[in-house]
Amino acid sequence: MLKFSREFHAIQTKKLLELYAKENIVIIPYNHPEYPQLLREIHDPPLVLFSKGDRSLLSNKAIAIVGARDADNYAREAIELLLPPLVEKKFVIVSGLAKGTDTIAHESTIAHGGKTIAVLGGGFFHIYPRENKQLADKIQHAHLLISEYPPIWRPEKWHFPMRNRIISGMTLGTIVIQAKSRSGSLITADQALEAGREVFALPGQINQPLSVGTNHLIQQGAKLVASGQDILEELNLD
């Protein structure tokens, strides 16, 4: 926050706000009515959220989908199976715009006529990964992009675990699709549990590296899911 304060005061505030207005960037401070209530409840909520797009989505019930960057066809087929009942119940699907599972989750939600929120690990002027720039453009025009980082900040490696707490913190539960034994998705699941939220995991073949993390979550008590209805029942929304 100190770094942000120094950079903010080093720039002419009027020009900065004019730039944000031109780029349709809206700042949502912690005490603003549009700030997600669930996110306020975690122990380290961001002081501000930068947003581009449909901010009304922040007040909708939401669920997170996360998983491996090298997700395979099993992940794609699973998301296609899980999503329709969630979209039908007007859940906003939250993910992190990363390669693999995140990309599939955003794209599939859009394809099914649902709404999605992408939580970034950097500022809006430095979309990462670059190949998702077109997807980010689509999301900011009809859905929502958010970040706790000012638009000029480039993504840093340590930003992404911090970003994950927002993904899990603003949602009722987190669905982990695929995860290796050491995975950012497992960090997100831990943060969801810490915040008192539900964790759902897709089971996988025991001899596949991408199943190790999710199968371990199930061993530890995560809800095994085989359909979107399983999630709705656990949340008492069936």
Side-chain angles (χ1 to χ4, degrees):
M1 201 57 202
L2 180 60
K3 180 181 177 184
F4 169 68
S5 180
R6 286 199 304 263
E7 292 197 7
F8 184 85
H9 289 293
I11 300 172
Q12 292 186 25
T13 305
K14 183 179 179 181
K15 288 186 177 180
L16 184 66
L17 295 178
E18 288 174 351
L19 175 62
Y20 287 175
K22 179 182 177 182
E23 296 291 334
N24 297 313
I25 296 169
V26 175
I27 302 174
I28 305 172
Y30 176 86
N31 60 355
H32 194 280
E34 291 183 337
Y35 193 98
Q37 179 56 41
L38 284 176
L39 192 57
R40 285 196 180 102
E41 298 173 5
I42 69 173
H43 81 274
D44 57 346
L47 295 180
V48 297
L49 293 173
F50 294 87
S51 67
K52 290 190 76 171
D54 183 0
R55 300 189 307 282
S56 71
L57 299 181
L58 294 172
S59 62
N60 290 22
K61 61 182 182 290
I63 196 156
I65 296 180
V66 298
R69 283 178 168 79
D70 50 351
D72 57 23
N73 283 335
Y74 178 59
R76 186 176 296 276
E77 291 169 0
I79 289 173
E80 285 296 315
L81 179 67
L82 296 174
L83 266 180
L86 301 177
V87 170
E88 184 178 346
K89 290 290 186 178
K90 305 300 183 184
F91 270 93
V92 173
I93 304 302
V94 180
S95 198
L97 202 74
K99 295 178 182 178
T101 301
D102 292 14
T103 298
I104 297 169
H106 292 306
E107 291 179 339
S108 295
T109 300
I110 294 169
H112 283 282
K115 291 295 183 177
T116 190
I117 296 174
V119 186
L120 307 186
F124 297 139
F125 299 159
H126 302 283
I127 296 297
Y128 179 85
R130 291 182 179 179
E131 54 263 42
N132 274 355
K133 179 66 167 63
Q134 186 174 0
L135 176 58
D137 288 342
K138 185 181 295 186
I139 291 173
Q140 75 180 32
H141 285 111
H143 307 268
L144 184 66
L145 295 178
I146 62 172
S147 178
E148 68 178 311
Y149 303 108
I152 61 172
W153 281 26
R154 295 182 180 275
E156 301 286 352
K157 186 175 182 180
W158 60 269
H159 287 177
F160 294 96
M162 296 296 290
R163 177 225 31 207
N164 293 348
R165 87 192 191 288
I166 299 176
I167 293 174
S168 62
M170 65 185 295
T171 55
L172 294 170
T174 294
I175 307 167
V176 184
I177 299 297
Q178 288 181 318
K180 295 180 180 178
S181 58
R182 296 175 62 87
S183 165
S185 299
L186 300 185
I187 295 174
T188 310
D190 287 343
Q191 291 167 331
L193 290 172
E194 184 178 326
R197 310 296 161 71
E198 299 291 341
V199 174
F200 308 95
L202 182 76
Q205 291 181 303
I206 60 174
N207 62 342
Q208 294 296 322
L210 290 176
S211 302
V212 174
T214 50
N215 289 350
H216 177 72
L217 285 174
I218 293 168
Q219 286 180 318
Q220 297 301 308
K223 172 73 174 180
L224 184 155
V225 292
S227 70
Q229 194 63 32
D230 291 338
I231 298 165
L232 295 176
E233 289 175 0
E234 191 68 17
L235 296 174
N236 295 317
L237 292 170
D238 59 319

PDB file of all heavy atoms in Angstrom, residues 123-148:
ATOM      1  N   GLY A 123      -2.238  -4.729 -13.293  1.00  0.00           N
ATOM      2  CA  GLY A 123      -3.107  -3.644 -13.709  1.00  0.00           C
ATOM      3  C   GLY A 123      -3.731  -3.876 -15.076  1.00  0.00           C
ATOM      4  O   GLY A 123      -3.260  -4.689 -15.869  1.00  0.00           O
ATOM      5  N   PHE A 124      -4.785  -3.122 -15.360  1.00  0.00           N
ATOM      6  CA  PHE A 124      -5.527  -3.293 -16.613  1.00  0.00           C
ATOM      7  C   PHE A 124      -4.694  -2.995 -17.858  1.00  0.00           C
ATOM      8  O   PHE A 124      -5.009  -3.471 -18.943  1.00  0.00           O
ATOM      9  CB  PHE A 124      -6.761  -2.385 -16.619  1.00  0.00           C
ATOM     10  CG  PHE A 124      -7.765  -2.698 -15.554  1.00  0.00           C
ATOM     11  CD1 PHE A 124      -8.398  -1.672 -14.868  1.00  0.00           C
ATOM     12  CD2 PHE A 124      -8.086  -4.000 -15.230  1.00  0.00           C
ATOM     13  CE1 PHE A 124      -9.342  -1.943 -13.883  1.00  0.00           C
ATOM     14  CE2 PHE A 124      -9.021  -4.294 -14.249  1.00  0.00           C
ATOM     15  CZ  PHE A 124      -9.645  -3.255 -13.570  1.00  0.00           C
ATOM     16  N   PHE A 125      -3.651  -2.191 -17.726  1.00  0.00           N
ATOM     17  CA  PHE A 125      -2.841  -1.842 -18.896  1.00  0.00           C
ATOM     18  C   PHE A 125      -1.805  -2.913 -19.222  1.00  0.00           C
ATOM     19  O   PHE A 125      -1.050  -2.771 -20.191  1.00  0.00           O
ATOM     20  CB  PHE A 125      -2.127  -0.507 -18.676  1.00  0.00           C
ATOM     21  CG  PHE A 125      -3.066   0.668 -18.464  1.00  0.00           C
ATOM     22  CD1 PHE A 125      -2.623   1.816 -17.838  1.00  0.00           C
ATOM     23  CD2 PHE A 125      -4.381   0.616 -18.893  1.00  0.00           C
ATOM     24  CE1 PHE A 125      -3.478   2.898 -17.644  1.00  0.00           C
ATOM     25  CE2 PHE A 125      -5.245   1.684 -18.703  1.00  0.00           C
ATOM     26  CZ  PHE A 125      -4.794   2.824 -18.074  1.00  0.00           C
ATOM     27  N   HIS A 126      -1.771  -3.973 -18.416  1.00  0.00           N
ATOM     28  CA  HIS A 126      -0.789  -5.048 -18.617  1.00  0.00           C
ATOM     29  C   HIS A 126      -1.474  -6.404 -18.437  1.00  0.00           C
ATOM     30  O   HIS A 126      -1.188  -7.140 -17.499  1.00  0.00           O
ATOM     31  CB  HIS A 126       0.381  -4.900 -17.648  1.00  0.00           C
ATOM     32  CG  HIS A 126       1.098  -3.599 -17.762  1.00  0.00           C
ATOM     33  ND1 HIS A 126       1.981  -3.325 -18.784  1.00  0.00           N
ATOM     34  CD2 HIS A 126       1.039  -2.471 -16.988  1.00  0.00           C
ATOM     35  CE1 HIS A 126       2.449  -2.104 -18.636  1.00  0.00           C
ATOM     36  NE2 HIS A 126       1.888  -1.563 -17.566  1.00  0.00           N
ATOM     37  N   ILE A 127      -2.404  -6.716 -19.344  1.00  0.00           N
ATOM     38  CA  ILE A 127      -3.136  -7.976 -19.269  1.00  0.00           C
ATOM     39  C   ILE A 127      -2.165  -9.148 -19.377  1.00  0.00           C
ATOM     40  O   ILE A 127      -1.292  -9.186 -20.246  1.00  0.00           O
ATOM     41  CB  ILE A 127      -4.197  -8.060 -20.389  1.00  0.00           C
ATOM     42  CG1 ILE A 127      -5.250  -6.967 -20.207  1.00  0.00           C
ATOM     43  CG2 ILE A 127      -4.849  -9.437 -20.410  1.00  0.00           C
ATOM     44  CD1 ILE A 127      -6.060  -7.065 -18.939  1.00  0.00           C
ATOM     45  N   TYR A 128      -2.337 -10.114 -18.466  1.00  0.00           N
ATOM     46  CA  TYR A 128      -1.492 -11.311 -18.474  1.00  0.00           C
ATOM     47  C   TYR A 128      -2.380 -12.540 -18.305  1.00  0.00           C
ATOM     48  O   TYR A 128      -3.254 -12.546 -17.450  1.00  0.00           O
ATOM     49  CB  TYR A 128      -0.468 -11.234 -17.336  1.00  0.00           C
ATOM     50  CG  TYR A 128       0.428 -12.438 -17.270  1.00  0.00           C
ATOM     51  CD1 TYR A 128       1.578 -12.507 -18.045  1.00  0.00           C
ATOM     52  CD2 TYR A 128       0.109 -13.520 -16.446  1.00  0.00           C
ATOM     53  CE1 TYR A 128       2.394 -13.628 -18.001  1.00  0.00           C
ATOM     54  CE2 TYR A 128       0.917 -14.643 -16.396  1.00  0.00           C
ATOM     55  CZ  TYR A 128       2.052 -14.690 -17.173  1.00  0.00           C
ATOM     56  OH  TYR A 128       2.858 -15.798 -17.147  1.00  0.00           O
ATOM     57  N   PRO A 129      -2.146 -13.576 -19.129  1.00  0.00           N
ATOM     58  CA  PRO A 129      -1.181 -13.653 -20.228  1.00  0.00           C
ATOM     59  C   PRO A 129      -1.650 -12.855 -21.447  1.00  0.00           C
ATOM     60  O   PRO A 129      -2.849 -12.623 -21.609  1.00  0.00           O
ATOM     61  CB  PRO A 129      -1.141 -15.152 -20.544  1.00  0.00           C
ATOM     62  CG  PRO A 129      -2.498 -15.652 -20.154  1.00  0.00           C
ATOM     63  CD  PRO A 129      -2.894 -14.852 -18.957  1.00  0.00           C
ATOM     64  N   ARG A 130      -0.692 -12.473 -22.278  1.00  0.00           N
ATOM     65  CA  ARG A 130      -1.007 -11.613 -23.417  1.00  0.00           C
ATOM     66  C   ARG A 130      -2.011 -12.239 -24.367  1.00  0.00           C
ATOM     67  O   ARG A 130      -2.819 -11.539 -24.984  1.00  0.00           O
ATOM     68  CB  ARG A 130       0.276 -11.257 -24.176  1.00  0.00           C
ATOM     69  CG  ARG A 130       1.206 -10.325 -23.400  1.00  0.00           C
ATOM     70  CD  ARG A 130       2.423  -9.980 -24.216  1.00  0.00           C
ATOM     71  NE  ARG A 130       3.323  -9.074 -23.500  1.00  0.00           N
ATOM     72  CZ  ARG A 130       4.465  -8.635 -23.982  1.00  0.00           C
ATOM     73  NH1 ARG A 130       4.858  -9.006 -25.185  1.00  0.00           N
ATOM     74  NH2 ARG A 130       5.225  -7.822 -23.263  1.00  0.00           N
ATOM     75  N   GLU A 131      -1.961 -13.572 -24.494  1.00  0.00           N
ATOM     76  CA  GLU A 131      -2.877 -14.219 -25.434  1.00  0.00           C
ATOM     77  C   GLU A 131      -4.335 -14.131 -24.978  1.00  0.00           C
ATOM     78  O   GLU A 131      -5.247 -14.440 -25.747  1.00  0.00           O
ATOM     79  CB  GLU A 131      -2.493 -15.690 -25.654  1.00  0.00           C
ATOM     80  CG  GLU A 131      -2.376 -16.506 -24.388  1.00  0.00           C
ATOM     81  CD  GLU A 131      -0.945 -16.626 -23.912  1.00  0.00           C
ATOM     82  OE1 GLU A 131      -0.205 -15.619 -23.961  1.00  0.00           O
ATOM     83  OE2 GLU A 131      -0.567 -17.734 -23.483  1.00  0.00           O
ATOM     84  N   ASN A 132      -4.576 -13.686 -23.746  1.00  0.00           N
ATOM     85  CA  ASN A 132      -5.948 -13.526 -23.269  1.00  0.00           C
ATOM     86  C   ASN A 132      -6.435 -12.082 -23.356  1.00  0.00           C
ATOM     87  O   ASN A 132      -7.466 -11.727 -22.781  1.00  0.00           O
ATOM     88  CB  ASN A 132      -6.073 -14.023 -21.825  1.00  0.00           C
ATOM     89  CG  ASN A 132      -6.334 -15.518 -21.758  1.00  0.00           C
ATOM     90  OD1 ASN A 132      -6.509 -16.165 -22.789  1.00  0.00           O
ATOM     91  ND2 ASN A 132      -6.342 -16.080 -20.566  1.00  0.00           N
ATOM     92  N   LYS A 133      -5.699 -11.253 -24.080  1.00  0.00           N
ATOM     93  CA  LYS A 133      -6.101  -9.858 -24.237  1.00  0.00           C
ATOM     94  C   LYS A 133      -7.490  -9.750 -24.886  1.00  0.00           C
ATOM     95  O   LYS A 133      -8.325  -8.946 -24.446  1.00  0.00           O
ATOM     96  CB  LYS A 133      -5.076  -9.109 -25.091  1.00  0.00           C
ATOM     97  CG  LYS A 133      -5.397  -7.644 -25.353  1.00  0.00           C
ATOM     98  CD  LYS A 133      -5.368  -6.813 -24.085  1.00  0.00           C
ATOM     99  CE  LYS A 133      -5.372  -5.319 -24.381  1.00  0.00           C
ATOM    100  NZ  LYS A 133      -6.613  -4.899 -25.075  1.00  0.00           N
ATOM    101  N   GLN A 134      -7.737 -10.545 -25.907  1.00  0.00           N
ATOM    102  CA  GLN A 134      -9.038 -10.494 -26.579  1.00  0.00           C
ATOM    103  C   GLN A 134     -10.152 -10.943 -25.635  1.00  0.00           C
ATOM    104  O   GLN A 134     -11.232 -10.347 -25.606  1.00  0.00           O
ATOM    105  CB  GLN A 134      -9.021 -11.377 -27.832  1.00  0.00           C
ATOM    106  CG  GLN A 134     -10.287 -11.269 -28.674  1.00  0.00           C
ATOM    107  CD  GLN A 134     -10.176 -12.032 -29.981  1.00  0.00           C
ATOM    108  OE1 GLN A 134      -9.158 -12.657 -30.280  1.00  0.00           O
ATOM    109  NE2 GLN A 134     -11.223 -11.995 -30.785  1.00  0.00           N
ATOM    110  N   LEU A 135      -9.872 -11.977 -24.846  1.00  0.00           N
ATOM    111  CA  LEU A 135     -10.859 -12.439 -23.871  1.00  0.00           C
ATOM    112  C   LEU A 135     -11.112 -11.361 -22.824  1.00  0.00           C
ATOM    113  O   LEU A 135     -12.264 -11.111 -22.441  1.00  0.00           O
ATOM    114  CB  LEU A 135     -10.366 -13.731 -23.209  1.00  0.00           C
ATOM    115  CG  LEU A 135     -11.233 -14.302 -22.081  1.00  0.00           C
ATOM    116  CD1 LEU A 135     -12.645 -14.598 -22.565  1.00  0.00           C
ATOM    117  CD2 LEU A 135     -10.585 -15.561 -21.494  1.00  0.00           C
ATOM    118  N   ALA A 136     -10.056 -10.700 -22.365  1.00  0.00           N
ATOM    119  CA  ALA A 136     -10.212  -9.616 -21.390  1.00  0.00           C
ATOM    120  C   ALA A 136     -11.054  -8.488 -21.967  1.00  0.00           C
ATOM    121  O   ALA A 136     -11.891  -7.902 -21.255  1.00  0.00           O
ATOM    122  CB  ALA A 136      -8.844  -9.101 -20.961  1.00  0.00           C
ATOM    123  N   ASP A 137     -10.850  -8.157 -23.239  1.00  0.00           N
ATOM    124  CA  ASP A 137     -11.654  -7.112 -23.887  1.00  0.00           C
ATOM    125  C   ASP A 137     -13.128  -7.493 -23.895  1.00  0.00           C
ATOM    126  O   ASP A 137     -14.011  -6.654 -23.627  1.00  0.00           O
ATOM    127  CB  ASP A 137     -11.169  -6.877 -25.318  1.00  0.00           C
ATOM    128  CG  ASP A 137      -9.824  -6.165 -25.375  1.00  0.00           C
ATOM    129  OD1 ASP A 137      -9.435  -5.559 -24.356  1.00  0.00           O
ATOM    130  OD2 ASP A 137      -9.171  -6.221 -26.431  1.00  0.00           O
ATOM    131  N   LYS A 138     -13.393  -8.757 -24.186  1.00  0.00           N
ATOM    132  CA  LYS A 138     -14.786  -9.228 -24.206  1.00  0.00           C
ATOM    133  C   LYS A 138     -15.401  -9.143 -22.810  1.00  0.00           C
ATOM    134  O   LYS A 138     -16.559  -8.719 -22.649  1.00  0.00           O
ATOM    135  CB  LYS A 138     -14.825 -10.672 -24.719  1.00  0.00           C
ATOM    136  CG  LYS A 138     -16.226 -11.231 -24.896  1.00  0.00           C
ATOM    137  CD  LYS A 138     -16.180 -12.675 -25.396  1.00  0.00           C
ATOM    138  CE  LYS A 138     -15.576 -12.776 -26.783  1.00  0.00           C
ATOM    139  NZ  LYS A 138     -15.662 -14.163 -27.311  1.00  0.00           N
ATOM    140  N   ILE A 139     -14.627  -9.521 -21.805  1.00  0.00           N
ATOM    141  CA  ILE A 139     -15.132  -9.506 -20.428  1.00  0.00           C
ATOM    142  C   ILE A 139     -15.399  -8.078 -19.962  1.00  0.00           C
ATOM    143  O   ILE A 139     -16.422  -7.799 -19.331  1.00  0.00           O
ATOM    144  CB  ILE A 139     -14.143 -10.229 -19.489  1.00  0.00           C
ATOM    145  CG1 ILE A 139     -14.139 -11.735 -19.797  1.00  0.00           C
ATOM    146  CG2 ILE A 139     -14.514  -9.989 -18.021  1.00  0.00           C
ATOM    147  CD1 ILE A 139     -13.079 -12.518 -19.045  1.00  0.00           C
ATOM    148  N   GLN A 140     -14.506  -7.147 -20.283  1.00  0.00           N
ATOM    149  CA  GLN A 140     -14.696  -5.779 -19.788  1.00  0.00           C
ATOM    150  C   GLN A 140     -15.877  -5.084 -20.443  1.00  0.00           C
ATOM    151  O   GLN A 140     -16.437  -4.136 -19.875  1.00  0.00           O
ATOM    152  CB  GLN A 140     -13.427  -4.951 -19.994  1.00  0.00           C
ATOM    153  CG  GLN A 140     -13.165  -4.523 -21.414  1.00  0.00           C
ATOM    154  CD  GLN A 140     -11.888  -3.709 -21.547  1.00  0.00           C
ATOM    155  OE1 GLN A 140     -10.927  -3.920 -20.820  1.00  0.00           O
ATOM    156  NE2 GLN A 140     -11.873  -2.796 -22.494  1.00  0.00           N
ATOM    157  N   HIS A 141     -16.298  -5.543 -21.597  1.00  0.00           N
ATOM    158  CA  HIS A 141     -17.420  -4.902 -22.286  1.00  0.00           C
ATOM    159  C   HIS A 141     -18.779  -5.478 -21.878  1.00  0.00           C
ATOM    160  O   HIS A 141     -19.780  -4.754 -21.890  1.00  0.00           O
ATOM    161  CB  HIS A 141     -17.245  -5.007 -23.802  1.00  0.00           C
ATOM    162  CG  HIS A 141     -16.220  -4.067 -24.342  1.00  0.00           C
ATOM    163  ND1 HIS A 141     -15.010  -4.495 -24.857  1.00  0.00           N
ATOM    164  CD2 HIS A 141     -16.186  -2.726 -24.413  1.00  0.00           C
ATOM    165  CE1 HIS A 141     -14.288  -3.449 -25.225  1.00  0.00           C
ATOM    166  NE2 HIS A 141     -14.985  -2.360 -24.966  1.00  0.00           N
ATOM    167  N   ALA A 142     -18.829  -6.759 -21.507  1.00  0.00           N
ATOM    168  CA  ALA A 142     -20.129  -7.353 -21.189  1.00  0.00           C
ATOM    169  C   ALA A 142     -20.166  -8.013 -19.814  1.00  0.00           C
ATOM    170  O   ALA A 142     -21.231  -8.436 -19.371  1.00  0.00           O
ATOM    171  CB  ALA A 142     -20.507  -8.386 -22.256  1.00  0.00           C
ATOM    172  N   HIS A 143     -19.028  -8.073 -19.155  1.00  0.00           N
ATOM    173  CA  HIS A 143     -18.924  -8.740 -17.864  1.00  0.00           C
ATOM    174  C   HIS A 143     -18.124  -7.814 -16.930  1.00  0.00           C
ATOM    175  O   HIS A 143     -18.449  -6.648 -16.856  1.00  0.00           O
ATOM    176  CB  HIS A 143     -18.293 -10.124 -18.040  1.00  0.00           C
ATOM    177  CG  HIS A 143     -19.003 -10.948 -19.061  1.00  0.00           C
ATOM    178  ND1 HIS A 143     -20.035 -11.812 -18.762  1.00  0.00           N
ATOM    179  CD2 HIS A 143     -18.847 -11.036 -20.418  1.00  0.00           C
ATOM    180  CE1 HIS A 143     -20.493 -12.376 -19.866  1.00  0.00           C
ATOM    181  NE2 HIS A 143     -19.792 -11.925 -20.888  1.00  0.00           N
ATOM    182  N   LEU A 144     -17.095  -8.315 -16.238  1.00  0.00           N
ATOM    183  CA  LEU A 144     -16.361  -7.439 -15.333  1.00  0.00           C
ATOM    184  C   LEU A 144     -14.929  -7.909 -15.133  1.00  0.00           C
ATOM    185  O   LEU A 144     -14.678  -9.100 -14.905  1.00  0.00           O
ATOM    186  CB  LEU A 144     -17.071  -7.388 -13.972  1.00  0.00           C
ATOM    187  CG  LEU A 144     -16.475  -6.439 -12.917  1.00  0.00           C
ATOM    188  CD1 LEU A 144     -16.606  -4.983 -13.352  1.00  0.00           C
ATOM    189  CD2 LEU A 144     -17.141  -6.659 -11.560  1.00  0.00           C
ATOM    190  N   LEU A 145     -14.000  -6.945 -15.203  1.00  0.00           N
ATOM    191  CA  LEU A 145     -12.613  -7.141 -14.802  1.00  0.00           C
ATOM    192  C   LEU A 145     -12.402  -6.393 -13.491  1.00  0.00           C
ATOM    193  O   LEU A 145     -12.855  -5.263 -13.344  1.00  0.00           O
ATOM    194  CB  LEU A 145     -11.637  -6.562 -15.832  1.00  0.00           C
ATOM    195  CG  LEU A 145     -11.563  -7.157 -17.239  1.00  0.00           C
ATOM    196  CD1 LEU A 145     -10.551  -6.370 -18.058  1.00  0.00           C
ATOM    197  CD2 LEU A 145     -11.202  -8.624 -17.211  1.00  0.00           C
ATOM    198  N   ILE A 146     -11.690  -7.018 -12.547  1.00  0.00           N
ATOM    199  CA  ILE A 146     -11.319  -6.299 -11.327  1.00  0.00           C
ATOM    200  C   ILE A 146      -9.870  -6.615 -10.963  1.00  0.00           C
ATOM    201  O   ILE A 146      -9.322  -7.646 -11.344  1.00  0.00           O
ATOM    202  CB  ILE A 146     -12.232  -6.622 -10.119  1.00  0.00           C
ATOM    203  CG1 ILE A 146     -12.155  -8.098  -9.737  1.00  0.00           C
ATOM    204  CG2 ILE A 146     -13.652  -6.193 -10.373  1.00  0.00           C
ATOM    205  CD1 ILE A 146     -12.877  -8.414  -8.433  1.00  0.00           C
ATOM    206  N   SER A 147      -9.266  -5.701 -10.235  1.00  0.00           N
ATOM    207  CA  SER A 147      -7.901  -5.881  -9.746  1.00  0.00           C
ATOM    208  C   SER A 147      -7.693  -4.982  -8.536  1.00  0.00           C
ATOM    209  O   SER A 147      -8.299  -3.912  -8.444  1.00  0.00           O
ATOM    210  CB  SER A 147      -6.879  -5.527 -10.830  1.00  0.00           C
ATOM    211  OG  SER A 147      -5.556  -5.648 -10.338  1.00  0.00           O
ATOM    212  N   GLU A 148      -6.864  -5.419  -7.602  1.00  0.00           N
ATOM    213  CA  GLU A 148      -6.499  -4.519  -6.505  1.00  0.00           C
ATOM    214  C   GLU A 148      -5.294  -3.679  -6.868  1.00  0.00           C
ATOM    215  O   GLU A 148      -4.881  -2.812  -6.091  1.00  0.00           O
ATOM    216  CB  GLU A 148      -6.224  -5.312  -5.228  1.00  0.00           C
ATOM    217  CG  GLU A 148      -4.986  -6.178  -5.256  1.00  0.00           C
ATOM    218  CD  GLU A 148      -4.761  -6.896  -3.933  1.00  0.00           C
ATOM    219  OE1 GLU A 148      -4.817  -6.230  -2.872  1.00  0.00           O
ATOM    220  OE2 GLU A 148      -4.539  -8.118  -3.963  1.00  0.00           O
TER     221      GLU A 148
END
